[in-house]
Amino acid sequence: RGGIRPDLVLVVADATALGRALYFASEIIETGGRVVIALNMIDEARAEGLTIDHEQLSALLGVPVVPIASRTREGITRLRDTIAETLQRPSRAVRLPALAAPAHDDVMRLAAVVAKEAPHLAEVSRPWATWLLLSIDDSPPDELLGIHPVVRRAADEIRAAAAIDGRNLDLEIIGARYAHVDTLVRQTVSEASQPQRRWTNRIDAVLTHKVWGLVVFAVVMLALFQALFSWSEPLIGAIETAVTSLQSFVTDAMPAGPFRNLLVDGVIAGVGNVVVFVPQIAMLFLFIGVLEDAGYLARVAFVIDKVMGRVGLHGKSFVPMLSGFSCAVPAVMATRTIENRTDRMLTMMVLPLMSCSARLPIYVLVIGTVFAPGATLFAGVSLGAVALFTMYGISVGAALLAAAVLRRTVLKGPKPTLVLEMPPYRWPVGRVLFRSTWRSVRSFLTDAGTTILALTIIIWAALSYPKDATTAANFEAQRATVESSIGDQAARDEAIDTLAAREQGAQVRSSLAGRLGRLMEPVLAPLGMDWRVGVGILGAFAAREVFVSTLGIVFDIGDAVEENQSLRESLREARRSDGSLLFTPLSGLALMVFFVLACQCMSTIAVVRRESGSWKWPIFMFSYQTGMAYVAALIVFQAGRLMGFQ
């Protein structure tokens, strides 16, 4: 667009599949610019008994062709020299493959319109016209931006006329190109012997089988996620310990005051919220890189495509969606493997519905609160286990349903077509894997990390301010009484800690977040929740698992975790203003359903903002998922009340 052309185009072609590579290369060559073809994996081609006359190929194409093997760096120096020499030469005359009439006449007619309406494309009017005739169809308008209306109308008329004549214009143009490519391959490639069925074909017969392929994939994914959970846990624990130690050090080294609180609970906690994701992000991208470079990921996409296509998802969406069970942040970043933007955005919009590991503490707390520990449903199966399984089932069903709806509304488009080339099996290159993994981690830290840190500080401020001077003075007097009346040091410290937890809870209730929780109460009441749960929901926006510790603060329980018995007891005894129990099996179920569906994670929102390049999509994602969560929780609670479960 705008007449800007590159100084040189380097086309990296697969020497083991030269025919497919030359089709794309011929399209580039047709533009008339400087082109160099790097014939990569020449070592693997030789191992397969292929001999490629690259000098003859260069003469036929009219551009330099340099055989290389990037793994061993064979031919890299020669490629660098060839690029430098080509840059010094003038642009060459365009060599175009012959088209039979009437396809030739159609292309030339549209080329004349292109040259007239877009003069900056006059030199490449024929290849541009060819591309347009092959590209224009029923795709969404945003797939073909910047096309002059007269040119688009002319292309529509030409295609319509061909259809009336019973001609397949696509087949005529593509067939001519492949005929040209086949001629090039016949003249430049020879095989040592007749190719036979290789061991890779036997492996493909299993990995792409409609049943065994799924079984193998399930085993591989199980191993991958087990590694993500078990291998990353020590690193995550070490990071959390380091953050806690740093907070303790700063707390001991600095005098009490607002600045220390900001530094400890805002900045350091915010950095911890960013860095704690690094182990899982790094491991996930490293594992995906291994699977992709080894050639396995393409086989997975082929096997899964039919299942995912029924709801409008791309076959490559399955791996990010499975990753969402661990954490949505690396899962969103894993959608980079999906080339089409519409398919990628659709996957991103449903990924937060997968029940990530951060939701697990909420499920554990609520299930332990509202269900008796020994309660069973049938055949000795724990009621809590069934409830937990149900939450994960709801998350998968909601993701597939949302994908089906969005594909037919906001992200309209045809059923995704998966076109891929089965790459050969090969050992991944370590330096390439680690370089790409580091790029992904660095991108997260520098882009999404800054947003996460800022939002963490904002949420901390909302939970901390404004301070109530009367409350502070009241608890200061109580501390003075404790220190003067209790002689035993251990008992005195315990009493002071209890007062500190109660004071923190009282200050939260008077904070901006506490006030917002009270404002939210009329909206949350139909779901069986009150303002205290509302404050927990606001706190959980920093990270879902923060819901547990936020409830601990609101209910005056220090160091609250999901297994904390005192917190569970406080929640069981908590009552609404009318005296009824706040947490019952029905209200607990409604609360868990809300967290299954709601996008309560600023980290995910920040990463979607980074990956989509706009705030429009994360805002839409947060809005529709929050609305869906509210409606679902409302139905669960109100329907349950009507059925007498309350």
Side-chain angles (χ1 to χ4, degrees):
R1 193 182 302 176
I4 300 175
R5 300 177 64 184
D7 295 327
L8 181 142
V9 178
L10 176 64
V11 179
V12 181
D14 184 349
T16 64
L18 188 59
R20 289 188 288 273
L22 286 180
Y23 183 90
F24 172 71
S26 66
E27 293 180 299
I28 303 299
I29 293 171
E30 288 177 17
T31 63
R34 298 182 184 90
V35 177
V36 173
I37 296 180
L39 204 58
N40 195 24
M41 296 188 289
I42 194 66
D43 53 340
E44 294 189 13
R46 287 194 295 261
E48 294 181 11
L50 299 176
T51 301
I52 301 175
D53 188 344
H54 66 276
E55 294 181 352
Q56 174 69 2
L57 181 60
S58 176
L60 293 172
L61 291 173
V63 300
V65 178
V66 182
I68 67 169
S70 60
R71 184 195 301 267
T72 61
R73 304 191 66 79
E74 174 188 346
I76 297 298
T77 301
R78 181 179 176 185
L79 175 63
R80 187 183 298 113
D81 295 341
T82 300
I83 291 174
E85 293 171 4
T86 305
L87 283 170
Q88 303 304 317
R89 300 173 187 168
S91 298
R92 57 192 166 66
V94 181
R95 297 188 180 186
L96 300 173
L99 284 175
H104 177 269
D105 298 335
D106 291 339
V107 171
M108 297 309 297
R109 191 187 327 152
L110 183 58
V113 178
V114 171
K116 178 181 178 181
E117 303 297 337
H120 62 283
L121 297 174
E123 294 182 4
V124 290
S125 59
R126 177 178 165 179
W128 206 89
T130 304
W131 167 81
L132 184 57
L133 287 174
L134 290 175
S135 301
I136 195 166
D137 52 21
D138 297 329
S139 300
D142 60 346
E143 295 291 331
L144 295 174
L145 294 174
I147 299 174
H148 195 284
V150 175
V151 176
R152 179 184 283 274
R153 186 163 55 249
D156 286 333
E157 292 172 355
I158 291 172
R159 288 186 61 86
I164 292 174
D165 293 341
R167 294 167 45 218
N168 188 327
L169 189 56
D170 291 347
L171 185 59
E172 292 175 2
I173 296 174
I174 295 173
R177 275 195 174 143
Y178 270 117
H180 175 64
V181 168
D182 290 342
T183 300
L184 293 173
V185 172
R186 283 196 302 269
Q187 293 177 344
T188 59
V189 180
S190 60
E191 296 183 78
S193 60
Q194 185 69 22
Q196 298 178 352
R197 180 177 174 85
R198 299 174 298 176
W199 62 271
T200 57
N201 301 112
R202 292 192 289 271
I203 294 178
D204 280 344
V206 176
L207 296 185
T208 60
H209 191 272
K210 62 182 180 180
V211 176
W212 292 114
L214 290 173
V215 172
V216 173
F217 178 63
V219 173
V220 170
M221 288 297 103
L222 179 62
L224 188 153
F225 286 109
Q226 176 62 29
L228 277 182
F229 278 109
S230 59
W231 294 359
S232 66
E233 187 58 36
L235 295 175
I236 292 174
I239 292 172
E240 291 174 338
T241 300
V243 171
T244 302
S245 300
L246 182 59
Q247 288 176 310
S248 299
F249 173 78
V250 173
T251 300
D252 295 337
M254 293 182 63
F259 181 72
R260 188 185 74 176
N261 294 339
L262 170 63
L263 189 60
V264 172
D265 299 324
V267 176
I268 297 177
V271 172
N273 287 341
V274 174
V275 179
V276 76
F277 290 113
V278 168
Q280 285 187 332
I281 289 175
M283 288 185 182
L284 179 65
F285 275 97
L286 182 63
F287 292 150
I288 289 179
V290 169
L291 295 177
E292 184 172 16
D293 290 357
Y296 178 64
L297 212 55
R299 275 83 180 171
V300 172
F302 173 79
V303 172
I304 298 297
D305 181 60
K306 182 177 292 186
V307 178
M308 304 297 288
R310 292 177 181 173
V311 295
L313 286 168
H314 196 280
K316 290 185 178 181
S317 302
F318 194 68
V319 171
M321 291 184 71
L322 277 181
S323 304
F325 281 120
S326 174
C327 178
V329 172
V332 168
M333 297 175 69
T335 60
R336 295 175 184 176
T337 59
I338 304 172
E339 295 84 0
N340 182 274
R341 178 172 171 80
T342 301
D343 295 337
R344 186 180 178 210
M345 293 308 305
L346 177 62
T347 306
M348 261 193 266
M349 291 300 100
V350 301
L351 269 177
L353 292 170
M354 305 304 289
S355 198
C356 67
S357 58
R359 291 176 169 100
L360 190 58
I362 301 172
Y363 300 155
V364 171
L365 173 65
V366 175
I367 290 173
T369 299
V370 301
F371 296 125
T376 58
L377 190 62
F378 57 87
V381 177
S382 168
L383 185 59
V386 173
L388 186 60
F389 177 80
T390 302
M391 294 304 107
Y392 281 88
I394 291 174
S395 74
V396 174
L400 296 179
L401 177 62
V405 173
L406 292 177
R407 172 60 78 181
R408 291 159 178 80
T409 53
V410 178
L411 291 165
K412 285 184 179 179
K415 179 181 178 181
T417 301
L418 181 66
V419 179
L420 53 81
E421 175 185 337
M422 290 296 181
Y425 295 100
R426 59 172 63 92
W427 286 105
V429 180
R431 67 176 184 275
V432 175
L433 283 174
F434 288 112
R435 189 182 303 124
S436 62
T437 300
W438 166 241
R439 280 199 297 265
S440 299
V441 172
R442 184 179 60 188
S443 174
F444 168 73
L445 290 174
T446 57
D447 296 315
T450 54
T451 305
I452 295 170
L453 175 59
L455 291 175
T456 299
I457 294 174
I458 291 172
I459 291 174
W460 164 82
L463 285 167
S464 303
Y465 294 96
K467 297 290 187 181
D468 188 318
T470 303
T471 299
N474 180 36
F475 278 96
E476 184 62 32
Q478 293 184 51
R479 272 191 293 271
T481 301
V482 167
E483 290 178 354
S484 62
S485 61
I486 300 179
D488 182 70
Q489 181 68 37
R492 185 166 61 247
D493 290 343
E494 183 180 354
I496 290 176
D497 289 342
T498 301
L499 283 175
R502 290 176 55 198
E503 181 181 8
Q504 188 178 24
Q507 291 290 4
V508 165
R509 287 189 284 274
S510 63
S511 69
L512 176 61
R515 296 174 185 180
L516 288 175
R518 293 185 183 277
L519 288 175
M520 293 168 56
E521 190 166 45
V523 179
L524 296 175
L527 312 184
M529 310 174 195
D530 72 349
W531 73 271
R532 291 168 291 185
V533 179
V535 174
I537 291 174
L538 290 175
F541 188 64
R544 290 184 179 95
E545 59 269 34
V546 174
F547 177 80
V548 175
S549 58
T550 304
L551 279 189
I553 294 173
V554 174
F555 282 89
D556 303 334
I557 305 296
D559 299 325
V561 295
E562 60 269 21
E563 294 89 358
N564 192 311
Q565 194 62 30
S566 59
L567 175 58
R568 291 183 181 180
E569 291 174 356
S570 295
L571 297 182
R572 290 192 190 106
E573 296 170 1
R575 296 183 179 273
R576 300 184 180 88
S577 57
D578 62 0
S580 62
L581 288 174
L582 175 62
F583 283 94
T584 65
L586 182 58
S587 64
L589 181 61
L591 178 60
M592 289 191 291
V593 167
F594 180 86
F595 269 100
V596 166
L597 303 177
C599 186
Q600 281 297 113
C601 181
M602 69 176 184
S603 304
T604 302
I605 292 174
V607 171
V608 171
R609 159 65 182 86
R610 157 64 184 161
E611 295 296 311
S612 67
S614 168
W615 276 109
K616 175 182 71 174
W617 289 110
I619 290 173
F620 168 74
M621 180 182 70
F622 175 79
S623 300
Y624 100 79
Q625 291 186 8
T626 302
M628 184 167 62
Y630 185 87
V631 172
L634 178 67
I635 292 174
V636 168
F637 186 74
Q638 295 299 332
R641 289 183 63 187
L642 291 175
M643 297 171 65
F645 289 116
Q646 182 68 357

